[in-house]
Amino acid sequence: MVRAAGLALGLLLLQLLQLLSLPAAGSSRPGGPGDLLYISEYFSQSAQKLSFYSWYENAKLFRFQVPEDTVLLRWLLQASKGKGPECTSMDITIHFRYGAPPVINPLGTQFPLNATARPSYNLTMTLSITLQNSTFVNITTPAAGDWFIAAHLPQAAGKIEVKGFSTPCAYIFQPDMFVLRLVDIPVLEPDTPLQQTIASPARPLHVKVFIPEYTATMQFTLRSCVVNSTKACAIRVVLGSIMLPQSFQKTLRCKETVDCSLVLHSPPWEKWLQIMAENLGTDNASVSFEMIASFTACKPGSTNSFLNFYNSLNQSQSTPALGGGPNASTPGMLGNTTLPAVGAANNASDPGTFCLQNQPVIREDLDVASVRFRVINGPSIPVHSEFPTLLLFNLNTGMDSGGTLLVNLLLNETSLSIGNASVFACMSAASPVLTLNTTKNCSTAFFQGYPLNVTASSTEATLIIPYPETDNWFLSLQLICPQGQGECNKAKAKVTVSTYLTPCFDDCGTYGQCSLLRRHGYLYAGCSCKAGWGGWSCTDNTKAQSVGSQNLATLLLTLSNLMFLPAIAVALYRYYLVEASVYTYTMFFSTFYHACDQPGVAVMCIMDYDTLQYCDFLGSVVAIWVTILCMARVKKILKYVLFVLGTLLIAMSLQLDRRGIWNMMGPCLFALIVMIMAWVYHGVKRRHCYPTSWKRWVFYLIPGIALAFVAILVYAFMETNDNYYYTHSIWHILVASSVAFLLPPCDKHKKPWAWSQKLICRYQICKNDREELYAVT
């Protein structure tokens, strides 16, 4: 139903957007008049069932690709819920982010030390009385590339639901994306005036300009702006695209002036910059003006770094891989070659011709969302005061944004020639910060970077960026003195740079598990925390269990299985050898499964976890199965046939669905039906209520049934994530105790412990038993 409604609304909006696919009247190009064509496109993804939030896997992720030259983006967000009484009013939280999955924190937990987490842009949809709800999100001039949406329900209640016992309400969410893009958008060439005209205030003008690599500043100038060729105009120019959660668009307002300009420091390299001009006039008079863009380049020094890198590779390939010489190298590693020192590079070229120092970096892909960056002739790099040292980290593959980027700086104290100097660094995307020594501001034209600082007193700095944006990332480093740059002349320092991309920071620590999540071929990682720990990387110990609590939980869940010992003793005493074997099997595997299933440090696994879990579930269901059949008092041959057939069917059903409630309820109900039929048969045959003894009912059956009933109530309704270790221990005790009460007494013609006499009867044929011997070949 939601899908049909979404398609209907999508087609309606698509028709509305197609109405905008008309020529933009009044727009012109330098060569003469021309028309601009708008094209609307529609993108949809399948609806997803939402989950209550406990960790990032519960947030349903959607990934959209916004085309180039998009001037309008509209999301249609649709949500619905089921019709049952279990479906109550619910708030759905939706997060948006450009370039990477949203970094969210619905539980208000702590992030790791040195981690930077900027809040995502989000909104809330409410499903109350109506079964469906929809809303729109409009973005003008969005950035081209990956856009992500994450949706989830409020925090999970923590109750452990038994699968199949209750039907949870289904909350469905589906986003659709509509884009309006401009075809053949005018291009502003560097240092070339572009004459444009805005015919109506309702139709803004869109232009784009390409930013070359190594651009330090861009000056945008709007001149000769007139209205109807007579007077100065009022116009607003917006440079840049919107990128959620933060947007740094630059606005230039020209009022009652003919010329105005704006300077952008460190604009994004090798990208198209969107420029939108709007007529602020109230009348419909046309506005004409000229645009011009000029660039200032910042060329790198050490132009022979590539040649040194090439020579290093050649030497590593020509050096023998085997042997014990000092120049021996291993495959995949560089040989013992060094790049020329920075001073040598400076001597080779005039220092005034460049304003930054490049350090080549090798990207080494290790695994999914796992990359190591190695600095050529590093990892220690020289840092100067005259110009920044620049490192480029390529994270624009489209699959790197699902991990965590770590940057570590370590200052070599002996290399610092001035004791009170510091090395200031900035990590930024799209373009580097080139004015660290003057502004000490870690921001570019359209991005707020991440600063780092190392000094003689604090020689190490670490930066953790969860889900970095898909782009080229730059690390700028420069030596700064507190008394001014004059003090830093000819000063230098060496800093060791370690940078790598990992799925999860510190592999989620001791109390977490790093999991790779997937959405339509896109892989990203998240941490699932245990033992009360929380946070993005399971470093928040606000609600963490102490080691004593963890040991207590392990002891309760394992030692509570020893309550099967009375049931095993009763079974052996009454000559129920098969039943006693099943109880022993259940006690053993339940004990060691719970010893392996613990979330903290008190863990012991004697075999694979999945094997222990399967054996525990199998033993529990088979124990109930054989107990009820034993109570039925059917003939031995029929009882043992049912034992074997039931065990085989239970093993099959557990392999299909291990946590389904009917895997336990089905065998129990069938065994109860067999038992009731057998009791009715015995009662009719004896013309008396069966079992016949009131003592059997009062002292055994009724207490055993009561214990089993209470155990079912605890298992189905009382278990939560917080009280699991003692409620499940109570379940063990109650079930094991009920078995001891429910096992029927032995036959009257048999003495207790008669099985021990059979073990020593050797070749005698015991009374009341007939055995047939078969030769097996």
Side-chain angles (χ1 to χ4, degrees), residues 553-554 556-558 560-561 588-599 602-604 609 612 616-617 620 724 728-729 731-732:
T554 303
L556 284 176
L557 288 169
T558 54
S560 59
N561 289 284
F588 178 84
F589 280 103
S590 179
T591 299
F592 286 100
Y593 163 66
H594 287 290
C596 184
D597 187 46
Q598 293 310 298
V603 181
M604 185 183 71
Y609 173 83
L612 288 173
D616 173 54
F617 287 14
S620 301
Y724 173 79
H728 200 73
S729 301
W731 152 264
H732 288 165

PDB file of all heavy atoms in Angstrom, residues 553-554 556-558 560-561 588-599 602-604 609 612 616-617 620 724 728-729 731-732:
ATOM      1  N   ALA A 553      27.194 -12.847  36.599  1.00  0.00           N
ATOM      2  CA  ALA A 553      26.271 -13.254  35.538  1.00  0.00           C
ATOM      3  C   ALA A 553      26.682 -14.594  34.944  1.00  0.00           C
ATOM      4  O   ALA A 553      25.834 -15.466  34.702  1.00  0.00           O
ATOM      5  CB  ALA A 553      26.233 -12.177  34.452  1.00  0.00           C
ATOM      6  N   THR A 554      27.981 -14.778  34.730  1.00  0.00           N
ATOM      7  CA  THR A 554      28.453 -16.049  34.170  1.00  0.00           C
ATOM      8  C   THR A 554      28.195 -17.198  35.125  1.00  0.00           C
ATOM      9  O   THR A 554      27.739 -18.287  34.720  1.00  0.00           O
ATOM     10  CB  THR A 554      29.951 -15.954  33.845  1.00  0.00           C
ATOM     11  OG1 THR A 554      30.173 -14.865  32.949  1.00  0.00           O
ATOM     12  CG2 THR A 554      30.457 -17.234  33.214  1.00  0.00           C
ATOM     13  N   LEU A 556      25.896 -17.399  37.497  1.00  0.00           N
ATOM     14  CA  LEU A 556      24.464 -17.684  37.610  1.00  0.00           C
ATOM     15  C   LEU A 556      23.962 -18.485  36.417  1.00  0.00           C
ATOM     16  O   LEU A 556      23.219 -19.460  36.574  1.00  0.00           O
ATOM     17  CB  LEU A 556      23.680 -16.377  37.739  1.00  0.00           C
ATOM     18  CG  LEU A 556      23.715 -15.679  39.100  1.00  0.00           C
ATOM     19  CD1 LEU A 556      22.981 -14.344  39.041  1.00  0.00           C
ATOM     20  CD2 LEU A 556      23.083 -16.566  40.171  1.00  0.00           C
ATOM     21  N   LEU A 557      24.348 -18.061  35.212  1.00  0.00           N
ATOM     22  CA  LEU A 557      23.829 -18.712  34.014  1.00  0.00           C
ATOM     23  C   LEU A 557      24.409 -20.113  33.816  1.00  0.00           C
ATOM     24  O   LEU A 557      23.763 -20.962  33.187  1.00  0.00           O
ATOM     25  CB  LEU A 557      24.134 -17.852  32.785  1.00  0.00           C
ATOM     26  CG  LEU A 557      23.308 -16.575  32.661  1.00  0.00           C
ATOM     27  CD1 LEU A 557      23.856 -15.674  31.566  1.00  0.00           C
ATOM     28  CD2 LEU A 557      21.844 -16.901  32.387  1.00  0.00           C
ATOM     29  N   THR A 558      25.600 -20.355  34.328  1.00  0.00           N
ATOM     30  CA  THR A 558      26.201 -21.687  34.159  1.00  0.00           C
ATOM     31  C   THR A 558      25.854 -22.631  35.315  1.00  0.00           C
ATOM     32  O   THR A 558      25.407 -23.751  35.091  1.00  0.00           O
ATOM     33  CB  THR A 558      27.720 -21.561  34.035  1.00  0.00           C
ATOM     34  OG1 THR A 558      28.245 -20.819  35.160  1.00  0.00           O
ATOM     35  CG2 THR A 558      28.103 -20.825  32.758  1.00  0.00           C
ATOM     36  N   SER A 560      23.436 -22.496  37.379  1.00  0.00           N
ATOM     37  CA  SER A 560      22.010 -22.801  37.506  1.00  0.00           C
ATOM     38  C   SER A 560      21.636 -24.068  36.747  1.00  0.00           C
ATOM     39  O   SER A 560      20.614 -24.709  37.055  1.00  0.00           O
ATOM     40  CB  SER A 560      21.162 -21.625  36.996  1.00  0.00           C
ATOM     41  OG  SER A 560      21.454 -21.338  35.636  1.00  0.00           O
ATOM     42  N   ASN A 561      22.448 -24.468  35.794  1.00  0.00           N
ATOM     43  CA  ASN A 561      22.187 -25.720  35.078  1.00  0.00           C
ATOM     44  C   ASN A 561      22.449 -26.942  35.940  1.00  0.00           C
ATOM     45  O   ASN A 561      22.018 -28.047  35.573  1.00  0.00           O
ATOM     46  CB  ASN A 561      23.045 -25.784  33.819  1.00  0.00           C
ATOM     47  CG  ASN A 561      22.591 -24.815  32.743  1.00  0.00           C
ATOM     48  OD1 ASN A 561      21.607 -25.042  32.055  1.00  0.00           O
ATOM     49  ND2 ASN A 561      23.326 -23.719  32.601  1.00  0.00           N
ATOM     50  N   PHE A 588      25.088 -30.170  30.122  1.00  0.00           N
ATOM     51  CA  PHE A 588      26.456 -29.916  29.671  1.00  0.00           C
ATOM     52  C   PHE A 588      26.495 -28.765  28.661  1.00  0.00           C
ATOM     53  O   PHE A 588      27.255 -27.807  28.823  1.00  0.00           O
ATOM     54  CB  PHE A 588      27.038 -31.199  29.070  1.00  0.00           C
ATOM     55  CG  PHE A 588      28.426 -31.038  28.520  1.00  0.00           C
ATOM     56  CD1 PHE A 588      29.532 -31.125  29.346  1.00  0.00           C
ATOM     57  CD2 PHE A 588      28.626 -30.793  27.165  1.00  0.00           C
ATOM     58  CE1 PHE A 588      30.813 -30.965  28.838  1.00  0.00           C
ATOM     59  CE2 PHE A 588      29.898 -30.636  26.650  1.00  0.00           C
ATOM     60  CZ  PHE A 588      31.000 -30.728  27.491  1.00  0.00           C
ATOM     61  N   PHE A 589      25.701 -28.853  27.615  1.00  0.00           N
ATOM     62  CA  PHE A 589      25.791 -27.849  26.561  1.00  0.00           C
ATOM     63  C   PHE A 589      25.161 -26.516  26.982  1.00  0.00           C
ATOM     64  O   PHE A 589      25.608 -25.465  26.514  1.00  0.00           O
ATOM     65  CB  PHE A 589      25.146 -28.368  25.276  1.00  0.00           C
ATOM     66  CG  PHE A 589      26.038 -29.299  24.509  1.00  0.00           C
ATOM     67  CD1 PHE A 589      25.827 -30.668  24.538  1.00  0.00           C
ATOM     68  CD2 PHE A 589      27.114 -28.808  23.788  1.00  0.00           C
ATOM     69  CE1 PHE A 589      26.660 -31.525  23.837  1.00  0.00           C
ATOM     70  CE2 PHE A 589      27.959 -29.665  23.082  1.00  0.00           C
ATOM     71  CZ  PHE A 589      27.732 -31.030  23.110  1.00  0.00           C
ATOM     72  N   SER A 590      24.167 -26.537  27.833  1.00  0.00           N
ATOM     73  CA  SER A 590      23.630 -25.271  28.328  1.00  0.00           C
ATOM     74  C   SER A 590      24.658 -24.549  29.188  1.00  0.00           C
ATOM     75  O   SER A 590      24.795 -23.314  29.124  1.00  0.00           O
ATOM     76  CB  SER A 590      22.346 -25.520  29.119  1.00  0.00           C
ATOM     77  OG  SER A 590      21.816 -24.315  29.617  1.00  0.00           O
ATOM     78  N   THR A 591      25.403 -25.311  29.973  1.00  0.00           N
ATOM     79  CA  THR A 591      26.433 -24.699  30.824  1.00  0.00           C
ATOM     80  C   THR A 591      27.510 -24.030  29.983  1.00  0.00           C
ATOM     81  O   THR A 591      27.854 -22.853  30.189  1.00  0.00           O
ATOM     82  CB  THR A 591      27.049 -25.768  31.732  1.00  0.00           C
ATOM     83  OG1 THR A 591      26.032 -26.317  32.575  1.00  0.00           O
ATOM     84  CG2 THR A 591      28.153 -25.160  32.587  1.00  0.00           C
ATOM     85  N   PHE A 592      28.032 -24.751  29.004  1.00  0.00           N
ATOM     86  CA  PHE A 592      29.149 -24.200  28.245  1.00  0.00           C
ATOM     87  C   PHE A 592      28.688 -23.223  27.164  1.00  0.00           C
ATOM     88  O   PHE A 592      29.475 -22.377  26.733  1.00  0.00           O
ATOM     89  CB  PHE A 592      29.968 -25.339  27.632  1.00  0.00           C
ATOM     90  CG  PHE A 592      30.803 -26.058  28.647  1.00  0.00           C
ATOM     91  CD1 PHE A 592      30.389 -27.273  29.184  1.00  0.00           C
ATOM     92  CD2 PHE A 592      31.989 -25.508  29.100  1.00  0.00           C
ATOM     93  CE1 PHE A 592      31.156 -27.933  30.126  1.00  0.00           C
ATOM     94  CE2 PHE A 592      32.765 -26.152  30.044  1.00  0.00           C
ATOM     95  CZ  PHE A 592      32.344 -27.365  30.561  1.00  0.00           C
ATOM     96  N   TYR A 593      27.435 -23.315  26.730  1.00  0.00           N
ATOM     97  CA  TYR A 593      26.929 -22.291  25.804  1.00  0.00           C
ATOM     98  C   TYR A 593      26.835 -20.943  26.511  1.00  0.00           C
ATOM     99  O   TYR A 593      27.259 -19.908  25.963  1.00  0.00           O
ATOM    100  CB  TYR A 593      25.569 -22.701  25.262  1.00  0.00           C
ATOM    101  CG  TYR A 593      24.810 -21.551  24.641  1.00  0.00           C
ATOM    102  CD1 TYR A 593      25.269 -20.917  23.486  1.00  0.00           C
ATOM    103  CD2 TYR A 593      23.631 -21.078  25.224  1.00  0.00           C
ATOM    104  CE1 TYR A 593      24.584 -19.853  22.925  1.00  0.00           C
ATOM    105  CE2 TYR A 593      22.942 -20.023  24.665  1.00  0.00           C
ATOM    106  CZ  TYR A 593      23.413 -19.416  23.516  1.00  0.00           C
ATOM    107  OH  TYR A 593      22.734 -18.353  22.970  1.00  0.00           O
ATOM    108  N   HIS A 594      26.305 -20.928  27.718  1.00  0.00           N
ATOM    109  CA  HIS A 594      26.201 -19.664  28.447  1.00  0.00           C
ATOM    110  C   HIS A 594      27.561 -19.165  28.923  1.00  0.00           C
ATOM    111  O   HIS A 594      27.752 -17.957  29.096  1.00  0.00           O
ATOM    112  CB  HIS A 594      25.240 -19.817  29.624  1.00  0.00           C
ATOM    113  CG  HIS A 594      23.798 -19.900  29.209  1.00  0.00           C
ATOM    114  ND1 HIS A 594      23.108 -18.828  28.698  1.00  0.00           N
ATOM    115  CD2 HIS A 594      22.923 -20.941  29.210  1.00  0.00           C
ATOM    116  CE1 HIS A 594      21.878 -19.193  28.411  1.00  0.00           C
ATOM    117  NE2 HIS A 594      21.728 -20.468  28.715  1.00  0.00           N
ATOM    118  N   ALA A 595      28.503 -20.068  29.114  1.00  0.00           N
ATOM    119  CA  ALA A 595      29.861 -19.623  29.429  1.00  0.00           C
ATOM    120  C   ALA A 595      30.508 -18.946  28.227  1.00  0.00           C
ATOM    121  O   ALA A 595      31.345 -18.050  28.374  1.00  0.00           O
ATOM    122  CB  ALA A 595      30.710 -20.802  29.888  1.00  0.00           C
ATOM    123  N   CYS A 596      30.109 -19.349  27.028  1.00  0.00           N
ATOM    124  CA  CYS A 596      30.659 -18.750  25.804  1.00  0.00           C
ATOM    125  C   CYS A 596      29.853 -17.550  25.335  1.00  0.00           C
ATOM    126  O   CYS A 596      30.350 -16.737  24.563  1.00  0.00           O
ATOM    127  CB  CYS A 596      30.707 -19.815  24.707  1.00  0.00           C
ATOM    128  SG  CYS A 596      31.466 -19.288  23.161  1.00  0.00           S
ATOM    129  N   ASP A 597      28.615 -17.421  25.791  1.00  0.00           N
ATOM    130  CA  ASP A 597      27.698 -16.392  25.304  1.00  0.00           C
ATOM    131  C   ASP A 597      27.814 -15.086  26.083  1.00  0.00           C
ATOM    132  O   ASP A 597      27.074 -14.143  25.814  1.00  0.00           O
ATOM    133  CB  ASP A 597      26.258 -16.919  25.385  1.00  0.00           C
ATOM    134  CG  ASP A 597      25.259 -15.974  24.747  1.00  0.00           C
ATOM    135  OD1 ASP A 597      25.528 -15.505  23.630  1.00  0.00           O
ATOM    136  OD2 ASP A 597      24.224 -15.685  25.376  1.00  0.00           O
ATOM    137  N   GLN A 598      28.727 -15.006  27.024  1.00  0.00           N
ATOM    138  CA  GLN A 598      28.815 -13.816  27.871  1.00  0.00           C
ATOM    139  C   GLN A 598      29.401 -12.636  27.109  1.00  0.00           C
ATOM    140  O   GLN A 598      30.317 -12.799  26.293  1.00  0.00           O
ATOM    141  CB  GLN A 598      29.652 -14.120  29.105  1.00  0.00           C
ATOM    142  CG  GLN A 598      29.008 -15.114  30.041  1.00  0.00           C
ATOM    143  CD  GLN A 598      27.581 -14.751  30.368  1.00  0.00           C
ATOM    144  OE1 GLN A 598      27.308 -13.705  30.941  1.00  0.00           O
ATOM    145  NE2 GLN A 598      26.644 -15.592  29.986  1.00  0.00           N
ATOM    146  N   PRO A 599      28.892 -11.420  27.354  1.00  0.00           N
ATOM    147  CA  PRO A 599      29.374 -10.255  26.614  1.00  0.00           C
ATOM    148  C   PRO A 599      30.678  -9.673  27.127  1.00  0.00           C
ATOM    149  O   PRO A 599      31.332  -8.914  26.421  1.00  0.00           O
ATOM    150  CB  PRO A 599      28.225  -9.255  26.804  1.00  0.00           C
ATOM    151  CG  PRO A 599      27.627  -9.611  28.131  1.00  0.00           C
ATOM    152  CD  PRO A 599      27.755 -11.098  28.243  1.00  0.00           C
ATOM    153  N   ALA A 602      34.433 -12.469  31.195  1.00  0.00           N
ATOM    154  CA  ALA A 602      34.278 -13.795  31.788  1.00  0.00           C
ATOM    155  C   ALA A 602      33.667 -14.736  30.753  1.00  0.00           C
ATOM    156  O   ALA A 602      32.476 -15.058  30.786  1.00  0.00           O
ATOM    157  CB  ALA A 602      33.409 -13.720  33.045  1.00  0.00           C
ATOM    158  N   VAL A 603      34.479 -15.168  29.827  1.00  0.00           N
ATOM    159  CA  VAL A 603      34.019 -15.972  28.691  1.00  0.00           C
ATOM    160  C   VAL A 603      34.919 -17.196  28.565  1.00  0.00           C
ATOM    161  O   VAL A 603      36.144 -17.100  28.714  1.00  0.00           O
ATOM    162  CB  VAL A 603      34.049 -15.158  27.377  1.00  0.00           C
ATOM    163  CG1 VAL A 603      33.549 -15.998  26.214  1.00  0.00           C
ATOM    164  CG2 VAL A 603      33.219 -13.899  27.502  1.00  0.00           C
ATOM    165  N   MET A 604      34.300 -18.353  28.282  1.00  0.00           N
ATOM    166  CA  MET A 604      35.057 -19.561  27.997  1.00  0.00           C
ATOM    167  C   MET A 604      34.300 -20.363  26.940  1.00  0.00           C
ATOM    168  O   MET A 604      33.146 -20.742  27.157  1.00  0.00           O
ATOM    169  CB  MET A 604      35.260 -20.413  29.248  1.00  0.00           C
ATOM    170  CG  MET A 604      36.162 -21.635  28.991  1.00  0.00           C
ATOM    171  SD  MET A 604      36.352 -22.703  30.434  1.00  0.00           S
ATOM    172  CE  MET A 604      34.726 -23.422  30.531  1.00  0.00           C
ATOM    173  N   TYR A 609      31.012 -21.161  18.766  1.00  0.00           N
ATOM    174  CA  TYR A 609      29.836 -20.597  19.418  1.00  0.00           C
ATOM    175  C   TYR A 609      28.548 -21.104  18.782  1.00  0.00           C
ATOM    176  O   TYR A 609      27.588 -21.458  19.474  1.00  0.00           O
ATOM    177  CB  TYR A 609      29.896 -19.065  19.340  1.00  0.00           C
ATOM    178  CG  TYR A 609      28.642 -18.372  19.835  1.00  0.00           C
ATOM    179  CD1 TYR A 609      28.440 -18.146  21.191  1.00  0.00           C
ATOM    180  CD2 TYR A 609      27.653 -17.956  18.945  1.00  0.00           C
ATOM    181  CE1 TYR A 609      27.295 -17.520  21.646  1.00  0.00           C
ATOM    182  CE2 TYR A 609      26.506 -17.330  19.388  1.00  0.00           C
ATOM    183  CZ  TYR A 609      26.323 -17.109  20.737  1.00  0.00           C
ATOM    184  OH  TYR A 609      25.193 -16.500  21.189  1.00  0.00           O
ATOM    185  N   LEU A 612      27.761 -24.624  19.926  1.00  0.00           N
ATOM    186  CA  LEU A 612      27.264 -24.655  21.314  1.00  0.00           C
ATOM    187  C   LEU A 612      25.825 -24.180  21.384  1.00  0.00           C
ATOM    188  O   LEU A 612      24.996 -24.757  22.122  1.00  0.00           O
ATOM    189  CB  LEU A 612      28.159 -23.778  22.190  1.00  0.00           C
ATOM    190  CG  LEU A 612      29.552 -24.307  22.498  1.00  0.00           C
ATOM    191  CD1 LEU A 612      30.373 -23.248  23.228  1.00  0.00           C
ATOM    192  CD2 LEU A 612      29.486 -25.580  23.328  1.00  0.00           C
ATOM    193  N   ASP A 616      22.651 -26.457  22.595  1.00  0.00           N
ATOM    194  CA  ASP A 616      21.863 -26.021  23.753  1.00  0.00           C
ATOM    195  C   ASP A 616      20.378 -25.986  23.410  1.00  0.00           C
ATOM    196  O   ASP A 616      19.541 -26.487  24.174  1.00  0.00           O
ATOM    197  CB  ASP A 616      22.348 -24.649  24.200  1.00  0.00           C
ATOM    198  CG  ASP A 616      21.462 -24.057  25.282  1.00  0.00           C
ATOM    199  OD1 ASP A 616      21.246 -24.721  26.309  1.00  0.00           O
ATOM    200  OD2 ASP A 616      20.964 -22.934  25.090  1.00  0.00           O
ATOM    201  N   PHE A 617      20.042 -25.390  22.276  1.00  0.00           N
ATOM    202  CA  PHE A 617      18.639 -25.326  21.885  1.00  0.00           C
ATOM    203  C   PHE A 617      18.078 -26.722  21.635  1.00  0.00           C
ATOM    204  O   PHE A 617      16.949 -27.028  22.022  1.00  0.00           O
ATOM    205  CB  PHE A 617      18.485 -24.473  20.628  1.00  0.00           C
ATOM    206  CG  PHE A 617      18.670 -22.995  20.868  1.00  0.00           C
ATOM    207  CD1 PHE A 617      19.231 -22.526  22.036  1.00  0.00           C
ATOM    208  CD2 PHE A 617      18.286 -22.072  19.916  1.00  0.00           C
ATOM    209  CE1 PHE A 617      19.405 -21.175  22.264  1.00  0.00           C
ATOM    210  CE2 PHE A 617      18.446 -20.715  20.120  1.00  0.00           C
ATOM    211  CZ  PHE A 617      19.018 -20.268  21.305  1.00  0.00           C
ATOM    212  N   SER A 620      17.496 -28.548  24.968  1.00  0.00           N
ATOM    213  CA  SER A 620      16.364 -28.024  25.735  1.00  0.00           C
ATOM    214  C   SER A 620      15.040 -28.553  25.210  1.00  0.00           C
ATOM    215  O   SER A 620      14.180 -29.001  25.984  1.00  0.00           O
ATOM    216  CB  SER A 620      16.379 -26.494  25.684  1.00  0.00           C
ATOM    217  OG  SER A 620      17.588 -25.979  26.206  1.00  0.00           O
ATOM    218  N   TYR A 724      18.589 -10.256  32.040  1.00  0.00           N
ATOM    219  CA  TYR A 724      18.663 -11.574  31.416  1.00  0.00           C
ATOM    220  C   TYR A 724      19.424 -12.579  32.268  1.00  0.00           C
ATOM    221  O   TYR A 724      19.023 -13.744  32.379  1.00  0.00           O
ATOM    222  CB  TYR A 724      19.338 -11.445  30.039  1.00  0.00           C
ATOM    223  CG  TYR A 724      19.614 -12.755  29.360  1.00  0.00           C
ATOM    224  CD1 TYR A 724      18.603 -13.454  28.708  1.00  0.00           C
ATOM    225  CD2 TYR A 724      20.895 -13.311  29.375  1.00  0.00           C
ATOM    226  CE1 TYR A 724      18.856 -14.667  28.078  1.00  0.00           C
ATOM    227  CE2 TYR A 724      21.160 -14.521  28.746  1.00  0.00           C
ATOM    228  CZ  TYR A 724      20.136 -15.196  28.100  1.00  0.00           C
ATOM    229  OH  TYR A 724      20.393 -16.390  27.493  1.00  0.00           O
ATOM    230  N   HIS A 728      16.957 -15.605  33.228  1.00  0.00           N
ATOM    231  CA  HIS A 728      17.215 -16.848  32.501  1.00  0.00           C
ATOM    232  C   HIS A 728      17.774 -17.913  33.441  1.00  0.00           C
ATOM    233  O   HIS A 728      17.534 -19.114  33.218  1.00  0.00           O
ATOM    234  CB  HIS A 728      18.198 -16.591  31.357  1.00  0.00           C
ATOM    235  CG  HIS A 728      18.148 -17.643  30.294  1.00  0.00           C
ATOM    236  ND1 HIS A 728      17.112 -17.746  29.395  1.00  0.00           N
ATOM    237  CD2 HIS A 728      18.999 -18.666  30.009  1.00  0.00           C
ATOM    238  CE1 HIS A 728      17.327 -18.769  28.590  1.00  0.00           C
ATOM    239  NE2 HIS A 728      18.472 -19.349  28.934  1.00  0.00           N
ATOM    240  N   SER A 729      18.487 -17.496  34.470  1.00  0.00           N
ATOM    241  CA  SER A 729      18.934 -18.472  35.469  1.00  0.00           C
ATOM    242  C   SER A 729      17.738 -19.061  36.212  1.00  0.00           C
ATOM    243  O   SER A 729      17.702 -20.265  36.517  1.00  0.00           O
ATOM    244  CB  SER A 729      19.898 -17.810  36.457  1.00  0.00           C
ATOM    245  OG  SER A 729      21.024 -17.290  35.790  1.00  0.00           O
ATOM    246  N   TRP A 731      14.829 -19.412  34.908  1.00  0.00           N
ATOM    247  CA  TRP A 731      14.244 -20.337  33.939  1.00  0.00           C
ATOM    248  C   TRP A 731      14.941 -21.698  34.000  1.00  0.00           C
ATOM    249  O   TRP A 731      14.277 -22.745  33.999  1.00  0.00           O
ATOM    250  CB  TRP A 731      14.335 -19.718  32.545  1.00  0.00           C
ATOM    251  CG  TRP A 731      14.420 -20.672  31.394  1.00  0.00           C
ATOM    252  CD1 TRP A 731      15.546 -21.108  30.758  1.00  0.00           C
ATOM    253  CD2 TRP A 731      13.327 -21.328  30.728  1.00  0.00           C
ATOM    254  NE1 TRP A 731      15.233 -21.969  29.742  1.00  0.00           N
ATOM    255  CE2 TRP A 731      13.872 -22.132  29.696  1.00  0.00           C
ATOM    256  CE3 TRP A 731      11.944 -21.306  30.898  1.00  0.00           C
ATOM    257  CZ2 TRP A 731      13.086 -22.902  28.854  1.00  0.00           C
ATOM    258  CZ3 TRP A 731      11.164 -22.081  30.054  1.00  0.00           C
ATOM    259  CH2 TRP A 731      11.725 -22.862  29.050  1.00  0.00           C
ATOM    260  N   HIS A 732      16.256 -21.707  34.092  1.00  0.00           N
ATOM    261  CA  HIS A 732      16.984 -22.965  34.210  1.00  0.00           C
ATOM    262  C   HIS A 732      16.541 -23.733  35.454  1.00  0.00           C
ATOM    263  O   HIS A 732      16.260 -24.943  35.392  1.00  0.00           O
ATOM    264  CB  HIS A 732      18.488 -22.707  34.300  1.00  0.00           C
ATOM    265  CG  HIS A 732      19.096 -22.260  33.011  1.00  0.00           C
ATOM    266  ND1 HIS A 732      20.361 -21.683  32.947  1.00  0.00           N
ATOM    267  CD2 HIS A 732      18.647 -22.291  31.735  1.00  0.00           C
ATOM    268  CE1 HIS A 732      20.630 -21.387  31.699  1.00  0.00           C
ATOM    269  NE2 HIS A 732      19.611 -21.736  30.944  1.00  0.00           N
TER     270      HIS A 732
END
